[in-house]
Amino acid sequence: MENSVEKKIDLDKIINKMHQKFGEDGLSEFEKARYLYIELGKLFRFNMNYITFFDLKQEDIYFKPVDFDNIETNNWICVQMSEIYEEALRRVGIVAGTKTDIKADKDYNMPHKYTVIELADGREFIADMIYDLPYIQMGLQTWNFGTNSENGIKAVISEEEIKEADDKIGYTTRLSENEKAYTEAFLEMIKDELNNPEKMKEYVKSVYNGEEYREENLIGYKLDLIKHFMRLETMGGHEGSKLLGILYKRFFSEEERKKLSFFLLCAEPYENHKVGNVEKLVCYCFKRGDNDCQYYAYEEGTSLEKVDREGLVKKLKSKPYIVLRKANENKEQYGDDIFLK
């Protein structure tokens, strides 16, 4: 499957948009770095073909050069993402460099790379965009911007300073007249609403054609909300699958996760001596009863779609899928056996 959200990246256009919105001196050096981090993070997609069994294929991707004046694709890995971000920073006068992760194996010729930014005030910090893509594309708080260049853990830039910048550049959304917030706050509000039976009764009636609200169906209501409102179809396959992993932990309670399995699968077809594109597939299995499961599947270019058991089994047999990650699997329980055979 081709990348469903393939886009060109025009660095000058992004920078001009920033200047038009804030003026050339309307943002501080730090705020400019943050603005470019967020805007590029909205565009980038991880090149899933890098998750390959073939060394030459991986090397072709890792060492592919970037023409900064003619970036024809947004489909890259850590190396090029860092180089493109570094170039954007250079064009607005910010000192930065693409550096090799100090924790990388010295004998490995394709180590992880990230951007190190040096502000005029003497602060130096890491911006490791590839890990923040699903967070940025969902409007969540990021975790890999402003860390310590020595070990990638200690915060150099405080959460408060980053939040102030995000409020200014428009990354956060207005929660009330005096407060802006990341998407986490809205997810918590939705969870509170979902746990209020009185409010949910009206919602379920209107959305499910007069159906009565049932507490035991709350997981299903949440899965349908993800399908309709999380805009997964606009994301790359890697970012979408990561987001579904994040939502599994954050949007469903511990008790709900006892009835919900999560599977992340990957396939790389190889036919007639030709290697196909790597594809990811995410599946949720909602165990409503001993012999009653609902299945939801996601792959790039789609939302989280409800599928029947036969259709999912057919899909899993259509390509050489392997399970990369799983949570709450149980081979003996109805539903999980189709993933774990």
Side-chain angles (χ1 to χ4, degrees):
M1 180 186 294
E2 293 184 1
N3 193 317
S4 60
V5 283
E6 188 84 23
K7 294 179 182 177
K8 293 183 179 182
I9 294 178
D10 187 328
L11 293 180
D12 288 336
K13 186 175 179 180
I14 294 170
I15 292 167
N16 288 337
K17 181 181 175 182
M18 178 179 71
H19 289 159
Q20 288 168 10
K21 188 173 182 180
F22 301 102
E24 292 201 21
D25 300 315
L27 296 178
S28 68
E29 189 180 42
F30 170 72
E31 288 165 346
K32 289 177 182 177
R34 182 63 176 177
Y35 178 91
L36 294 172
Y37 186 80
I38 295 298
E39 292 305 306
L40 284 171
K42 292 175 182 176
L43 294 172
F44 280 137
R45 303 292 182 263
F46 175 72
N47 187 342
M48 287 197 296
N49 281 316
Y50 193 66
I51 310 170
T52 180
F53 296 110
F54 301 92
D55 291 343
L56 289 177
K57 183 178 177 182
Q58 196 172 60
E59 288 176 4
D60 285 345
I61 295 169
Y62 188 90
F63 294 106
K64 185 176 181 179
V66 181
D67 178 355
F68 298 119
D69 293 315
N70 188 31
I71 306 174
E72 291 289 333
T73 179
N74 57 352
N75 215 19
W76 300 100
I77 62 168
C78 62
V79 182
Q80 295 90 357
M81 288 184 195
S82 181
E83 291 171 346
I84 292 168
Y85 181 44
E86 177 192 346
E87 174 65 13
L89 292 167
R90 186 193 66 77
R91 293 188 184 191
V92 298
I94 298 174
V95 177
T98 294
K99 303 292 179 68
T100 298
D101 187 348
I102 62 169
K103 301 182 291 297
D105 187 338
K106 292 181 180 179
D107 295 327
Y108 183 51
N109 69 341
M110 291 183 285
H112 177 59
K113 294 194 175 185
Y114 45 59
T115 309
V116 176
I117 299 171
E118 301 175 36
L119 299 179
D121 62 14
R123 290 185 293 176
E124 182 177 303
F125 62 89
I126 282 175
D128 201 349
M129 191 182 300
I130 197 165
Y131 294 121
D132 271 336
L133 296 184
Y135 295 93
I136 292 172
Q137 291 167 25
M138 193 56 205
L140 298 164
Q141 182 179 3
T142 63
W143 300 101
N144 298 278
F145 179 92
T147 56
N148 187 289
S149 58
E150 292 296 322
N151 56 28
I153 299 172
K154 182 181 176 183
V156 174
I157 311 297
S158 70
E159 288 185 18
E160 291 75 19
E161 186 175 355
I162 294 174
K163 174 65 163 48
E164 285 177 11
D166 288 343
D167 289 348
K168 184 173 180 178
I169 65 175
Y171 178 56
T172 51
T173 304
R174 190 166 296 283
L175 185 63
S176 65
E177 186 176 347
N178 300 314
E179 184 182 4
K180 292 182 177 181
Y182 297 109
T183 300
E184 284 95 333
F186 296 94
L187 288 176
E188 288 304 313
M189 289 173 62
I190 292 169
K191 283 166 68 176
D192 289 342
E193 294 272 323
L194 289 169
N195 289 321
N196 185 325
E198 290 305 313
K199 290 184 178 180
M200 280 300 294
K201 283 177 183 177
E202 291 303 315
Y203 169 79
V204 171
K205 258 185 187 176
S206 62
V207 173
Y208 295 92
N209 298 318
E211 180 182 314
E212 290 295 319
Y213 168 74
R214 297 177 183 275
E215 187 177 353
E216 61 267 26
N217 289 339
L218 185 55
I219 294 172
Y221 301 148
K222 287 187 175 184
L223 290 165
D224 285 342
L225 278 169
I226 291 173
K227 168 182 170 59
H228 291 296
F229 297 110
M230 296 304 177
R231 297 172 50 238
L232 288 160
E233 65 276 8
T234 69
M235 305 177 76
H238 175 76
E239 291 73 34
S241 63
K242 286 284 187 182
L243 177 60
L244 286 171
I246 293 167
L247 290 172
Y248 179 78
K249 292 180 179 178
R250 294 192 185 180
F251 198 47
F252 298 94
S253 69
E254 185 176 350
E255 282 302 307
E256 288 167 347
R257 290 197 299 272
K258 291 178 181 177
K259 297 181 180 179
L260 189 67
S261 296
F262 171 88
F263 290 88
L264 170 61
L265 304 101
C266 184
E268 185 178 26
Y270 181 72
E271 296 177 341
N272 300 322
H273 304 287
K274 185 177 179 181
V275 184
N277 289 326
V278 173
E279 297 179 30
K280 281 189 175 181
L281 175 67
V282 174
C283 297
Y284 282 128
C285 174
F286 172 26
K287 303 164 187 173
R288 306 202 318 168
D290 290 341
N291 289 300
D292 183 9
C293 282
Q294 288 182 350
Y295 302 95
Y296 292 76
Y298 161 79
E299 54 189 340
E300 186 179 278
T302 71
S303 59
L304 185 66
E305 303 292 346
K306 194 172 182 179
V307 294
D308 60 35
R309 182 179 175 85
E310 292 72 24
L312 184 55
V313 169
K314 186 177 180 181
K315 177 179 280 293
L316 292 173
K317 289 180 178 179
S318 68
K319 291 173 186 174
Y321 283 107
I322 58 171
V323 176
L324 296 182
R325 273 186 59 207
K326 55 185 183 287
N328 189 32
E329 80 282 5
N330 183 347
K331 196 169 184 178
E332 303 305 316
Q333 189 164 356
Y334 184 85
D336 291 344
D337 58 322
I338 65 173
F339 302 102
L340 299 173
K341 284 180 179 178

